[in-house]
Amino acid sequence: MVQQKLLFEDGGHGPDRGRNPRRGRGVLQVHPASKETQASKAPLLGQVVHERTLERAWKAVRRNWGGPGVDGMTVDSFGSWWEENRQRIVDELRSGTYQPQPVKRCEIPKLKGGIRVLGVPTVLDRVVQQAITSVLTPIFDPGFSEHSFGFRPGRSAHGAVLQARGFAAEGYRWVVDVDLKSFFDHVNHDILMGRLAKRIEDRDLLRLIRRFLRAGMMDGGVVSPRTAGTPQGGQLSPLLSNVLLGEWDKELERRGHRFVRYADDCNIYVQSKRAGERVLASCRRFLERRLQPVVNEGKSAVARPSTQTFLGYSMTQTFLGYSMTANRVPKLRLGSDSVVRLKDRLREILRRTRGRSIGAIVFELNQYLRGWLGYFRLIETPSVLKKLQSWIQRKLRCYRIKQLGRASRLFWELKRLGLPAKEVAWLLSTSRGPWRLSRNPQVHQGFGPCYWAHLGLLDLPAAWRRFASTP
């Protein structure tokens, strides 16, 4: 769309601007608007339903996979259905008759108790949401704060963690951890749509987005209407959260704060506890008055960075005077919650009653550990990896002992591995359980690091060193 602007010979907007230019002294000149304004005022729905946009959206959904929605259609079966019904869907989107289906309720437990409710859209709705996101991201993303890292192209959690450490190294030794209680479930639709309407003039697209927001949630065959919140699990929700919380980012920048935000997880770094308490109180007032999310009083806190966990990472106390280093730069380490979460997941893999071969268990462990270590490759305290490696090997010994069953079979297995019969003869009459046996020196020697290395078990400290040496 071209933005029309009336300019007059004297450089102003005279009283005759509404007159016919040929009869008055005003001269009508048409100046093209900026590229950013053109992008936001153009009929964006046409870009959403463009063939290439929908094709890229379908490829992205297929790459991310995910389970079926309320219609039961899987990603595998959607491809052929999409080829047959694409034009009908495009026509519905253009005419404004497209109606998103309810999302499927899915609950996952939180580490510190409680549950997180996810809404799983249908594959078709995910494709449409992905197409909308791909069109709106170039419009909104350039205006987001440099301190916002969540769900943005070219940015990641690693960048947020490194920036947080940089603020701590500058001497900001207190962190204000602002926790928003179930943020995605309490988003005010009217406020969010108001923020979108400031940059988008395509009412058809705004109407479609509101329909996605108001799509209900199905649980046990019953659809509950939705009057607030944006389903956590859809492709559109991350962008909408950044649009809403971007106003908070600008307010923090205006006040000159040093902060890092990843989605609804925000840390503000200050130089004293008293300053942190003032910042927390002012943030609470701003958020509840302007954006209306609920601030979790129980989880929001003012504390040292070494006692808090941000995106799974924590920091050492080297810059606080306990173990002062020459450059006063804190080191990144694993957060305590991250260790607990890892062990819980590994216990599921190493559950003794699974009935899988030890080789299959090691293969599954390696797949998970490589992904886990790829995320936590920024840690600078590898001693915790050595402890984790020792714990994993003991759990594997316990699994192997349980797999062998009788003590006589364990005796012959250790003898086969080269241990003298005199040293392991006591196993023939032992009544110890697998966990206690896994700690025995002879059992440890037989099923030691060399045994697991032969089976291909990932060496966490060695793999971390390879990650750390890779630029």
Side-chain angles (χ1 to χ4, degrees):
M1 179 178 289
V2 177
Q3 184 182 22
Q4 296 185 353
K5 190 175 183 181
L6 289 168
L7 298 180
F8 292 85
E9 293 176 352
D10 59 358
H13 300 272
D16 297 329
R17 63 181 182 179
R19 296 172 53 187
N20 189 325
R22 294 183 180 180
R23 296 184 179 180
R25 56 191 177 93
V27 179
L28 178 64
Q29 297 180 5
V30 178
H31 288 261
S34 64
K35 293 182 179 179
E36 180 179 336
T37 306
Q38 289 183 30
S40 60
K41 289 188 176 184
L44 297 177
L45 187 59
Q47 300 180 34
V48 171
V49 300
H50 193 278
E51 182 178 356
R52 284 181 296 181
T53 304
L54 290 174
E55 185 63 27
R56 287 195 296 265
W58 162 228
K59 289 181 179 178
V61 171
R62 184 171 53 191
R63 185 167 54 250
N64 294 334
W65 207 249
V70 295
D71 60 354
M73 183 178 295
T74 64
V75 175
D76 281 334
S77 60
F78 180 80
S80 58
W81 182 92
W82 177 241
E83 292 299 326
E84 298 176 2
N85 297 271
R86 184 204 304 258
Q87 189 57 49
R88 178 177 62 83
I89 300 301
V90 170
D91 293 340
E92 290 181 2
L93 290 169
R94 289 185 184 277
S95 62
T97 59
Y98 181 84
Q99 185 63 46
Q101 297 190 58
V103 296
K104 184 173 70 174
R105 181 184 178 92
C106 180
E107 298 180 355
I108 58 175
K110 293 183 179 180
L111 181 64
K112 296 182 179 180
I115 58 172
R116 175 177 286 108
V117 178
L118 302 181
V120 181
T122 64
V123 181
L124 174 59
D125 286 342
R126 296 207 292 266
V127 171
V128 177
Q129 288 188 32
Q130 182 65 43
I132 297 173
T133 301
S134 65
V135 171
L136 295 187
T137 296
I139 297 175
F140 286 97
D141 190 78
F144 291 153
S145 170
E146 290 297 315
H147 304 290
S148 171
F149 289 85
F151 312 116
R152 296 183 59 189
R155 290 173 169 262
S156 65
H158 288 168
V161 171
L162 292 175
Q163 188 175 96
R165 184 184 64 172
F167 290 148
E170 291 175 7
Y172 295 87
R173 303 176 179 180
W174 291 88
V175 59
V176 182
D177 187 355
V178 183
D179 185 87
L180 302 181
K181 184 178 181 180
S182 302
F183 168 74
F184 288 92
D185 297 332
H186 294 91
V187 172
N188 186 294
H189 290 174
D190 294 332
I191 294 177
L192 174 58
M193 294 306 299
R195 300 300 184 273
L196 291 173
K198 289 181 179 179
R199 300 291 304 277
I200 301 174
E201 292 191 356
D202 189 334
R203 294 187 177 182
D204 292 333
L205 181 58
L206 291 174
R207 191 179 299 111
L208 178 61
I209 294 175
R210 183 177 282 275
R211 285 181 179 177
F212 274 112
L213 291 175
R214 297 182 67 86
M217 178 175 290
M218 179 176 289
D219 183 20
V222 179
V223 178
S224 302
R226 178 180 291 272
T227 58
T230 172
Q232 189 175 358
Q235 276 69 9
L236 193 56
S237 297
L239 175 63
L240 297 182
S241 68
N242 280 331
V243 170
L244 187 62
L245 293 178
E247 186 172 343
W248 183 27
D249 296 339
K250 296 302 180 183
E251 179 65 17
L252 293 175
E253 288 181 343
R254 188 185 66 80
R255 299 180 185 183
H257 289 308
R258 288 159 175 80
F259 70 97
V260 183
R261 184 177 67 81
Y262 191 94
D264 59 336
D265 196 353
C266 183
N267 279 3
I268 307 169
Y269 292 84
V270 295
Q271 293 182 323
S272 68
K273 184 176 182 179
R274 186 175 179 182
E277 292 172 347
R278 290 198 303 268
V279 170
L280 179 59
S282 63
C283 285
R284 184 186 301 111
R285 289 194 298 269
F286 176 83
L287 288 170
E288 294 180 350
R289 291 176 182 176
R290 295 289 296 274
L291 306 181
Q292 297 184 7
V294 180
V295 178
N296 193 329
E297 301 291 344
K299 294 184 179 180
S300 299
V302 180
R304 297 287 193 181
S306 58
T307 63
Q308 296 296 107
T309 299
F310 180 59
L311 299 178
Y313 286 86
S314 186
M315 301 183 194
T316 60
Q317 296 177 328
T318 54
F319 65 103
L320 298 176
Y322 299 100
S323 177
M324 192 68 71
T325 59
N327 54 8
R328 300 168 63 98
V329 177
K331 293 182 179 181
L332 294 173
R333 66 179 182 182
L334 278 177
S336 57
D337 294 347
S338 302
V339 177
V340 173
R341 191 180 294 109
L342 172 66
K343 289 187 174 182
D344 286 344
R345 175 62 182 134
L346 296 184
R347 286 189 183 97
E348 294 179 9
I349 298 175
L350 293 167
R351 195 171 65 249
R352 303 175 198 172
T353 57
R354 295 190 66 191
R356 303 186 64 188
S357 68
I358 192 66
I361 291 293
V362 169
F363 179 79
E364 187 176 353
L365 272 176
N366 286 344
Q367 283 188 314
Y368 181 79
L369 290 174
R370 286 193 183 95
W372 179 88
L373 192 60
Y375 178 78
F376 286 105
R377 65 176 182 269
L378 297 181
I379 62 172
E380 299 166 298
T381 54
S383 58
V384 67
L385 297 180
K386 297 179 181 178
K387 295 179 181 178
L388 284 173
Q389 186 75 16
S390 177
W391 182 85
I392 292 171
Q393 290 183 0
R394 185 179 178 187
K395 291 291 290 185
L396 281 169
R397 288 196 298 272
C398 187
Y399 185 91
R400 183 61 176 149
I401 293 170
K402 181 68 175 180
Q403 192 177 49
L404 289 171
R406 297 188 300 273
S408 59
R409 295 182 64 183
L410 177 61
F411 168 81
W412 289 109
E413 179 69 11
L414 292 176
K415 187 177 178 182
R416 185 185 65 83
L417 293 173
L419 272 73
K422 293 181 179 180
E423 294 187 11
V424 293
W426 60 273
L427 288 171
L428 297 174
S429 59
T430 185
S431 59
R432 296 179 183 178
W435 184 246
R436 290 187 63 190
L437 280 175
S438 64
R439 196 177 176 183
N440 181 269
Q442 287 83 17
V443 176
H444 186 282
Q445 182 181 354
F447 300 124
C450 293
Y451 178 84
W452 302 117
H454 178 72
L455 287 176
L457 179 66
L458 183 70
D459 187 339
L460 284 177
W464 171 82
R465 286 192 291 270
R466 290 195 298 270
F467 273 120
S469 61
T470 303

